[in-house]
Amino acid sequence: MPETMIDIADLWKNFGALAVLRGISLRVERGSVVAIIGPSGSGKSTLLRCVNLLEDPDRGRIRVGGREMRFGAGLRSRHSDRELSAFRAATGMVFQHFNLFPHMTAIGNVMAGPSIVKRMARHEAAEIARALLAKVGLADKADSYPSQLSGGQRQRVAIARALAMNPSVMLCDEVTSALDPELVGEVLAVIEQLAEEGMTMIIVTHEVAFAHEVADLVAFMSDGVIVESGPPGQVLEHPENPHTRAFLARFHRFMGSFPGPG
Amino acid sequence: MTGTRYAWDFSFLWSYRGLILTGLGVTIAYTIGTILLGLVVGLVTGLLRLWKNVLVTAPLVAYVEIFRCTPLLVQIVWFYYALPVVLGIDIPAHVAATLVLSLYTGAFYAEIIRGGVASIERGQWDAARAIGMRRAQVMRHVVLPQAIKRMIPPFMNQSIIQLKNTSLVSTIAVADLLYQGTIITAATYRPLEVYTMVAVIYFFVLFPLTLAAQHVERRLARSD
């Protein structure tokens, strides 16, 4: 039986009066890739941020690897800074806007986790960072500052930075949405390579074709709920939920494979 | 005009050079001393202002706004004349002067520091937290190095203004450059020459500093 790497159970999150997540449950097996698609404002990014505890869920349970966090009434006593940091350290995250540290070079960014969080010796951290930069095809950009890199290069450094913590899972939040079209491919290639190497990932994406190719499971979110999930061939080609159909109808490469809504 | 053109004569000032230099020394000492003390006050206030707890921030906001929104001259007079009455203790002029100048500039520094830290995008916090950094580590390794760069130009401007602000302590008989000017005026009845000289000295101290500040500002802007 496959091992569940990420287990999200009945997760709720409100921003003020706005219910952003309304009882999300999702399991991700070790080594599998789950793609979350859905319209803007459906709660995809918030879900991902909750898995990494960058947002504090109102209710529910999140387990990543062997660490579990519970949220809800009676458990409102906030988790300590130390607990949260330890949890996040094991969960890699890549952001839409890269969020590289502009005052550090590419290698400095990648080294930040090992040297500051893990307190690894500098030369050791540098060795790891160099290997990871090579892995994402940027060995020659180690000493460049983020401002000297293209969007695609920045995002690849950001991926290397997340990998440097040797995370058990990776969370990718619309990692190509801020990129010029011609730079999307180089980033997706790195993500695809990670998937092939067996990295457990949740990917929030607008790249439906990419989701189809790389994901083992596609979940469609709408209004804070996963309305439909299943293998990509099923959800993307033969969606059953009307919201999923309406959403996918906008991606014309799939237009031929199923009738639009109405 | 009936031939009463004012005859400018600066030569008498030479005999007062000792007094003038002492005054300048006092001015510079107050400037540097209150900048350093103000920096401590501003650092503590500015960083505590980032706390989410209103019980912490409310008194600090009150302090900052009271000092920023009332005239420095009034603050000096109040600390020297009114506060001793309220507290029933004696406050020497130099203590009152140091206290007010430090608290005054500290209020401005606090805003510069708070604003600098707050100006760092949330994404920087997210990314640093996501790789497992503790709050203090994010501050030290990610936020402050970027924020300090943004704080330097306004900090330098505020500090330059502080040198001029110290002249107000002459009103409570602290023997700074301006105060010595009034002493010399009282002895010579030549206020035009004396105050012109005072202005020229302030200018020659401050002008190079403003040039240096501009230079630093340009260099920081380039390295962004």
Side-chain angles (χ1 to χ4, degrees), chain B residues 26-94:
Chain B
V26 169
T27 290
I28 288 172
Y30 269 96
T31 305
I32 293 173
T34 60
I35 283 174
L36 292 177
L37 282 172
L39 199 53
V40 173
V41 172
L43 206 61
V44 172
T45 309
L47 293 179
L48 286 180
R49 276 277 274 111
L50 298 163
W51 233 258
K52 289 202 178 74
N53 191 335
V54 188
L55 292 176
V56 175
T57 56
L60 297 173
V61 172
Y63 150 62
V64 168
E65 296 310 331
I66 286 170
F67 275 84
R68 288 206 309 172
C69 302
T70 57
L72 178 56
L73 182 60
V74 174
Q75 292 169 19
I76 290 171
V77 169
W78 197 86
F79 263 70
Y80 185 55
Y81 295 106
L83 194 58
V85 174
V86 174
L87 297 179
I89 54 162
D90 207 33
I91 301 180
H94 67 273

Side-chain angles (χ1 to χ4, degrees), chain A residues 12-212:
Chain A
W12 293 74
K13 174 71 184 173
N14 281 30
F15 287 125
L18 184 70
V20 184
L21 299 180
R22 300 185 296 150
I24 299 278
S25 294
L26 182 69
R27 282 159 170 265
V28 185
E29 311 301 336
R30 177 188 284 280
S32 74
V33 177
V34 170
I36 299 177
I37 59 170
S40 317
S42 58
K44 311 180 297 286
S45 290
T46 304
L47 173 61
L48 221 52
R49 292 173 62 83
C50 281
V51 175
N52 206 3
L53 307 183
L54 288 176
E55 301 290 351
D56 196 14
D58 297 329
R59 187 144 65 83
R61 183 167 60 78
I62 297 169
R63 182 173 65 76
V64 175
R67 288 174 192 273
E68 186 176 87
M69 291 278 187
R70 287 167 178 274
F71 309 88
L75 304 164
R76 289 310 301 238
S77 54
R78 300 278 294 278
H79 299 277
S80 74
D81 189 30
R82 178 186 297 273
E83 262 182 291
L84 293 173
S85 300
F87 191 95
R88 295 192 188 107
T91 317
M93 182 146 183
V94 185
F95 302 87
Q96 181 178 354
H97 296 288
F98 331 131
N99 300 346
L100 290 183
F101 308 133
H103 60 299
M104 298 180 191
T105 57
I107 195 168
N109 269 275
V110 182
M111 284 169 65
S115 65
I116 296 167
V117 178
K118 290 186 173 170
R119 300 183 186 285
M120 203 178 273
R122 284 198 73 79
H123 67 274
E124 234 178 303
E127 204 175 309
I128 291 173
R130 238 175 261 289
L132 285 170
L133 283 175
K135 182 188 174 83
V136 298
L138 292 172
D140 55 330
K141 297 289 183 188
D143 297 319
S144 302
Y145 282 90
S147 60
Q148 299 164 320
L149 300 173
S150 73
Q153 291 170 332
R154 286 184 211 185
Q155 193 59 294
R156 286 186 280 152
V157 172
I159 293 170
R161 176 176 65 179
L163 291 173
M165 288 302 288
N166 200 18
S168 51
V169 305
M170 284 282 274
L171 310 171
C172 301
D173 188 8
E174 298 190 19
V175 294
T176 57
S177 298
L179 296 178
D180 292 334
E182 75 271 21
L183 301 176
V184 168
E186 63 189 72
V187 172
L188 292 184
V190 172
I191 303 278
E192 199 170 352
Q193 188 194 342
L194 289 178
E196 278 164 15
E197 290 169 5
M199 176 62 82
T200 309
M201 288 193 277
I202 301 181
I203 296 171
V204 166
T205 185
H206 286 131
E207 303 280 337
V208 173
F210 179 70
H212 196 291

